[in-house]
Amino acid sequence: MSTQDPRALAEDILDGVGGAANVTSSAHCATRVRVVLRDESAVRAETLRALPGVITVIRAHGELHVVTGEGAELVHQELELLTRRPAGPMPELELSTAVLSVRGLGSRIVTMLAAVFTPVIWPLAAAGLLKTVVVVLGELGWLNPEAGTFTVLSAVSEGIFLFLPLFLAVTAARRFGAQPFTAMAVAAALVYPSILDLGEAQSHTAAPTGSLLGVPFPIMVFAASVIPILLVVFVQAWVERTLDRMLPAAVRSVGTPLVTLLLVVTGALVLLGPMVVITGEALVALVVGVLESTPWLAGAVLGGLWHVLTILGLQWGMLGTIAESVGTGIAGVPTAATLPAVIAAAVVAQAGAAGAVLLRTRSAARRKIAGASSVAGLVGGVSEPMIYGVTLPLKKPFLFGMLGGAVGGALTAASGAAAVSAVPPALAGVPAMTAHGSAALLLGGLALALAVGFVPTLLLVDREGPDEDPDAEPDPEPPTTTSMSPVVTPTPAAAEQRGGRADTPSMVEVMAPLPGRLLPLDAMDDELFADGTMGPGVAIRPVSGHLVAPVAGVVIAAPSGGYAYGIRTDDGVDILVHCGSRTPTLKGEGFTPAVRPGDRVEVSQPLVDVDLELVHGVGFDAITAVVVTNAQDFASVTPVAVDEVEPGDLVMTVITGEKEQPADQADEERDAGAQG
């Protein structure tokens, strides 16, 4: 950025995008201000590009990117003040047509679910395996359910599932721009033991068990819910932003969380909860009614949609009906007692799909979670790790699992198999389900559910690359020539001369900051890097997330998200290392920085550790750009021609000094000087 005043530039940008009222949200990267707009037709792109201090303007991922170079953070801070919104990370989802369009909404939801689950997926998988062991030992009679050991192991294995909303509240808060600890306080209130007790009592009575100011309302069990808590945190983020604009600064620190807790918690209990309860009860009545008349049809619908209902938090009414039916004895075989067999088909089908991913994927991270979670699902009936860590992020396996659940559910419902006790909906619970009905049809239904989930996934789902985004485009072919012509970036009008460059020409060697495959910059899906706007350089598809300094110098830029680092060498060469193109929306999640602006670094000194599993798990690419942002000041920038690099390998050379003019241009200038 030039010496343009950040406040004045922010005002000009707002004027160019249609005013503050047109800005839904904003954020910044190392070199650009990113805004989401209500009406994109109001943007005057040419006016923005002509502003002093603006390099270019592009549209990407439903956002408008105003590239200012250095100083983007200062411009963004002024922009936030002008729009009267507290500075901070931009929520991933905003109520705007640009982001929540109908087209691609499903993919956005899946991406969001994968993002909020990624940080907790491994503890879920570990607890799921332990829960499976406890279930099997209990079914075999080797572990007494009345013993203290059983109680302790159950608490260890089931605690994270029961209080899952608290964990998701933190990750969702980061995603939506809410305060994480306020989100935890909201979730804690919703799973408060007394509230859970009221929800338990709700399943045994037709009367509402909740009451607020004398007005009764039905209680929803938020424990282990997913979508409900995400909706609650999304609303919390909106409430907090609204309160921050309304409340005086003197009371904002306490007033915002206080009012947020009261409004969000009571709203979730009194408004959202009853809607979920009423919908769930209607579904229970419908399923049980159809089971009595057409068992196979009810089994197909419930088996196919079970995990969708679980994600939406609508499964609790059905589970309460199951618990009540097996608790009253099985002499008359209540219709609801056949539900565990149907749910088992849904779980087994998803386990089959996860097992196919285990055999097919080339991603080591996905293979690990698929192996652990498919065993926990198939044997112990633990669905969450395999759903949120394997099948749902890949989309197609989840759909094949739904199909397998529908087919298997139809057969298991038709078998008449009924549970004689509360059992896990998986293989460990089969012995308790075979006391009634046709055991052969039950086992056949479960086997078919497993096969329908497994086979299509194995044959039809695209293989993932080694720890890469499964939806990423194939790598462009690397350069095949033994040498490359020097690359010089067209000089941006707003670029300013950097200080500190040596007077005499020298050669600056730029090393690889991380191991991987060397690619041309157009491999990036970010237009600014791909078309050379940010400067000439190279891209690297990493195989490790340990990122080191490619040159020696001073860190002049390091956004708080940890995804980018600008380093100025002693010769005045500015090197930008940028990991991924959409990684700023992670708001630092998965990035562990080792340096700060102003630090002096040497070649191969650690800059940041990147959790590539997390980045790829949310559907983002981690291709890392290494560019010279002030190349217009130097004679040449020349990338090397190699395929694979390790940290410290040469990837680019920069020759400082003035650019050589073409001979004919030099002659013309000399003649003009002689005539003058």
Side-chain angles (χ1 to χ4, degrees):
M1 191 180 76
S2 69
T3 56
Q4 175 79 7
D5 176 54
R7 178 79 175 191
L9 181 55
E11 292 175 345
D12 291 339
I13 290 174
L14 276 182
D15 181 63
V17 300
N22 195 35
V23 177
T24 298
S25 59
S26 65
H28 70 89
C29 301
T31 58
R32 68 192 89 172
V33 175
R34 302 161 42 230
V35 293
V36 175
L37 304 172
R38 291 184 173 86
D39 181 11
E40 291 193 2
S41 65
V43 175
R44 292 176 290 155
E46 293 306 319
T47 300
L48 290 172
R49 291 189 180 96
L51 292 175
V54 172
I55 298 174
T56 189
V57 176
I58 63 171
R59 287 181 170 88
H61 310 303
E63 303 169 345
L64 184 74
H65 293 194
V66 182
V67 183
T68 63
E70 294 180 31
E73 182 177 3
L74 298 177
V75 177
H76 174 250
Q77 289 176 358
E78 297 296 336
L79 191 71
E80 290 289 324
L81 292 174
L82 291 170
T83 54
R84 302 188 67 185
R85 183 169 41 250
M90 182 184 66
E92 174 67 12
L93 295 179
E94 288 283 353
L95 295 178
S96 68
T97 56
V99 179
L100 283 183
S101 58
V102 174
R103 183 179 180 182
L105 178 58
S107 295
R108 292 181 185 276
I109 292 175
V110 169
T111 299
M112 182 266 294
L113 286 173
V116 299
F117 265 94
T118 296
V120 298
I121 199 66
W122 285 112
L124 278 175
L129 285 176
L130 180 59
K131 185 176 180 180
T132 300
V133 172
V134 173
V135 166
V136 171
L137 293 179
E139 291 295 318
L140 294 175
W142 296 351
L143 194 59
N144 183 4
E146 304 298 327
T149 302
F150 183 88
T151 301
V152 171
L153 292 179
S154 296
V156 173
S157 62
E158 296 179 10
I160 189 172
F161 296 100
L162 179 64
F163 296 107
L164 185 59
L166 274 79
F167 296 86
L168 298 185
V170 175
T171 55
R174 294 172 180 171
R175 196 74 176 174
F176 299 145
Q179 293 297 325
F181 289 104
T182 303
M184 287 187 68
V186 168
L190 296 177
V191 295
Y192 189 67
S194 297
I195 298 294
L196 294 181
D197 291 341
L198 290 176
E200 175 66 19
Q202 181 84 37
S203 64
H204 301 293
T205 178
T209 55
S211 176
L212 181 65
L213 300 177
V215 179
F217 62 90
I219 287 287
M220 174 192 171
V221 178
F222 279 86
S225 66
V226 177
I227 292 295
I229 191 61
L230 299 185
L231 290 174
V232 168
V233 176
F234 181 75
V235 172
Q236 173 202 333
W238 177 83
V239 170
E240 287 176 335
R241 290 195 295 272
T242 302
L243 291 173
D244 282 338
R245 290 196 297 266
M246 295 174 57
L247 296 178
V251 300
R252 191 177 299 155
S253 297
V254 175
T256 294
L258 174 61
V259 178
T260 298
L261 280 171
L262 287 172
L263 290 179
V264 174
V265 173
T266 56
L269 291 174
V270 177
L271 299 178
L272 177 61
M275 288 192 298
V276 174
V277 170
I278 293 171
T279 304
E281 290 176 348
L283 284 173
V284 171
L286 177 63
V287 169
V288 173
V290 178
L291 273 173
E292 294 176 349
S293 59
T294 316
W296 68 268
L297 179 60
V301 173
L302 181 60
L305 297 179
W306 175 252
H307 287 101
V308 176
L309 299 178
T310 301
I311 293 172
L312 295 175
L314 297 174
Q315 83 281 19
W316 285 108
M318 213 158 292
L319 293 177
T321 301
I322 293 173
E324 187 175 357
S325 68
V326 300
T328 57
I330 202 67
V333 190
T335 302
T338 63
L339 290 176
V342 176
I343 298 172
V347 176
V348 166
Q350 291 290 339
V357 171
L358 168 66
L359 298 179
R360 185 162 179 77
T361 185
R362 290 177 292 182
S363 165
R366 188 83 70 189
R367 190 179 301 116
K368 291 176 183 177
I369 190 64
S373 63
S374 59
V375 172
L378 186 64
V379 179
V382 182
S383 301
E384 288 84 353
M386 65 181 176
I387 294 299
Y388 299 110
V390 184
T391 62
L392 188 59
L394 297 179
K395 301 180 184 69
K396 288 182 180 179
F398 184 74
L399 295 178
F400 290 137
M402 290 178 61
L403 178 61
V407 174
L411 291 179
T412 54
S415 73
V420 296
S421 60
V423 294
L427 297 185
V430 168
M433 301 177 193
T434 55
H436 295 271
S438 170
L441 196 56
L442 169 65
L443 294 175
L446 294 178
L448 189 58
L450 181 68
V452 173
F454 179 86
V455 175
T457 301
L458 187 66
L459 298 179
L460 302 178
V461 173
D462 296 335
R463 301 187 70 186
E464 292 180 89
D467 293 320
E468 294 175 10
D469 172 18
D471 298 323
E473 294 294 328
D475 290 339
E477 289 298 321
T480 55
T481 56
T482 56
S483 64
M484 298 182 66
S485 301
V487 180
V488 179
T489 303
T491 304
E496 63 175 273
Q497 195 80 1
R498 266 68 168 183
R501 185 170 69 251
D503 294 331
T504 57
S506 62
M507 182 175 70
V508 177
E509 295 184 334
V510 182
M511 308 302 178
L514 72 181
R517 184 179 181 186
L518 192 66
L519 303 169
L521 270 182
D522 58 16
M524 299 283 292
D525 66 355
D526 189 317
E527 180 182 339
L528 287 176
F529 289 103
D531 65 7
T533 300
M534 295 303 300
V538 297
I540 300 174
R541 185 180 292 280
V543 296
S544 167
H546 183 62
L547 196 149
V548 300
V551 293
V554 176
V555 178
I556 59 174
S560 58
Y563 54 86
Y565 296 85
I567 303 174
R568 179 169 294 165
T569 71
D570 295 337
D571 298 277
V573 180
D574 290 352
I575 304 296
L576 174 64
V577 181
H578 196 290
C579 181
S581 56
R582 301 186 64 189
T583 46
T585 60
L586 293 175
K587 307 171 187 67
E589 193 171 330
F591 292 82
T592 307
V595 297
R596 296 179 297 178
D599 288 353
R600 172 80 188 185
V601 295
E602 301 300 328
V603 176
S604 297
Q605 180 176 331
L607 294 179
V608 63
D609 283 312
V610 183
D611 187 344
L612 295 182
E613 294 182 8
L614 185 149
V615 174
H616 295 142
V618 298
F620 293 170
D621 205 339
I623 294 183
T624 298
V626 185
V627 300
V628 182
T629 59
N630 60 343
Q632 70 279 351
D633 297 340
F634 306 115
S636 66
V637 177
T638 308
V640 302
V642 295
D643 290 346
E644 304 290 334
V645 293
E646 294 291 333
D649 290 350
L650 181 67
V651 296
M652 187 166 43
T653 58
V654 181
I655 303 299
T656 66
E658 299 297 330
K659 296 185 180 69
E660 294 184 3
Q661 296 179 335
D664 54 352
Q665 181 178 345
D667 291 341
E668 291 177 1
E669 292 183 356
R670 185 171 56 252
D671 293 341
Q675 294 174 2

